Amino acid sequence: MPITELNHFLLVAKDLERTKDFYQKVLGLEIAERPDFGFPGYWLKTGDAICVHLASQDPNKIRDMFLLKKHPKGTRGSGSVDHIAFLAKGPYETRQRIQKNKVEMHFRSFPDAKLFQIFLKDPDDVTIELNFLGEVIDEKEWKGKGAASSLSLNRKA
C-alpha cells in the first residue's frame, strides 16, 4: 500500500486572512513556514505537524493549475475543501497502479526540498495529492517512462 498517512487538507477560503485568524485564534494553530508556490496562502501547524493549508479564492492561474480546478469567487456558504493530501511511498509503483486504472495524473518536483508529488482526481472531482517525501525524481526520466501528463514547474521550496 503506497499510502502511509493523511498529510493535510487545503481550504480555499473566501477571506484568507479571516480564515487564518480563525485557525490561529480559535483553534490555537500556529503559522508554519511555507514555500513560495506562486499563490498566496498559509500553512498552519500543531506542534511540528502541518495539518491545514489555506489558499484564497481570488483568481490565480498557478493555483488553479496545481489544484486542477478553478475556484469561483462568491461561492455560497463556507470555503471549499479543495484536496486531500497523503504521504506515500513508491512513486514508480504508484504511477503503474494509476496508469493501469487509466486515471489522468499530473506531477511536480521540488528537488531542493526532496519532494515529489502526484495529483489525480477521484470520481467526485476531489483532487488527491500524493507526497513522496525524500524523493528526487528526474522529470525527464519520469516523462520518458510514460507519465500521463505533468505540471513541470520546478519551484524552489
Side-chain angles (χ1 to χ4, degrees):
M1 177 66 78
I3 301 297
T4 60
E5 65 184 84
L6 179 66
N7 182 246
H8 69 268
F9 64 90
L10 181 133
L11 292 174
V12 179
K14 289 171 34 172
D15 182 329
L16 182 61
E17 296 303 316
R18 181 176 174 205
T19 301
K20 175 203 45 111
D21 289 346
F22 170 84
Y23 279 90
Q24 278 188 289
K25 294 175 182 175
V26 177
L27 298 180
L29 297 180
E30 298 175 359
I31 297 290
E33 188 175 328
R34 177 183 178 267
D36 176 10
F37 290 118
F39 58 91
Y42 293 100
W43 282 1
L44 298 151
K45 65 181 181 174
T46 178
D48 291 333
I50 298 169
C51 55
V52 177
H53 292 187
L54 300 177
S56 172
Q57 277 186 355
D58 292 337
N60 185 288
K61 289 180 183 181
I62 293 173
R63 183 213 51 223
D64 290 347
M65 181 177 62
F66 284 145
L67 303 183
L68 309 178
K69 67 180 84 145
K70 291 186 177 185
H71 289 279
K73 198 164 174 67
T75 302
R76 294 182 54 96
S78 65
S80 63
V81 174
D82 175 81
H83 69 266
I84 301 170
F86 295 96
L87 295 181
K89 293 183 178 180
Y92 291 98
E93 296 83 3
T94 300
R95 177 175 60 187
Q96 288 176 345
R97 175 178 282 172
I98 293 167
Q99 289 174 332
K100 178 180 176 185
N101 287 283
K102 297 181 172 74
V103 174
E104 183 180 359
M105 68 176 142
H106 300 276
F107 67 91
R108 67 178 172 176
S109 182
F110 291 92
D112 293 348
K114 294 185 180 172
L115 170 65
F116 185 73
Q117 298 174 305
I118 295 175
F119 297 87
L120 58 149
K121 296 280 197 157
D122 80 358
D124 295 302
D125 202 35
V126 174
T127 300
I128 304 299
E129 173 184 323
L130 302 175
N131 289 304
F132 299 88
L133 303 178
E135 293 285 348
V136 177
I137 304 287
D138 180 296
E139 289 191 14
K140 289 179 184 176
E141 178 186 336
W142 183 269
K143 288 178 188 177
K145 293 188 183 279
S149 60
S150 70
L151 297 171
S152 57
L153 291 180
N154 277 320
R155 300 184 66 83
K156 294 190 181 209

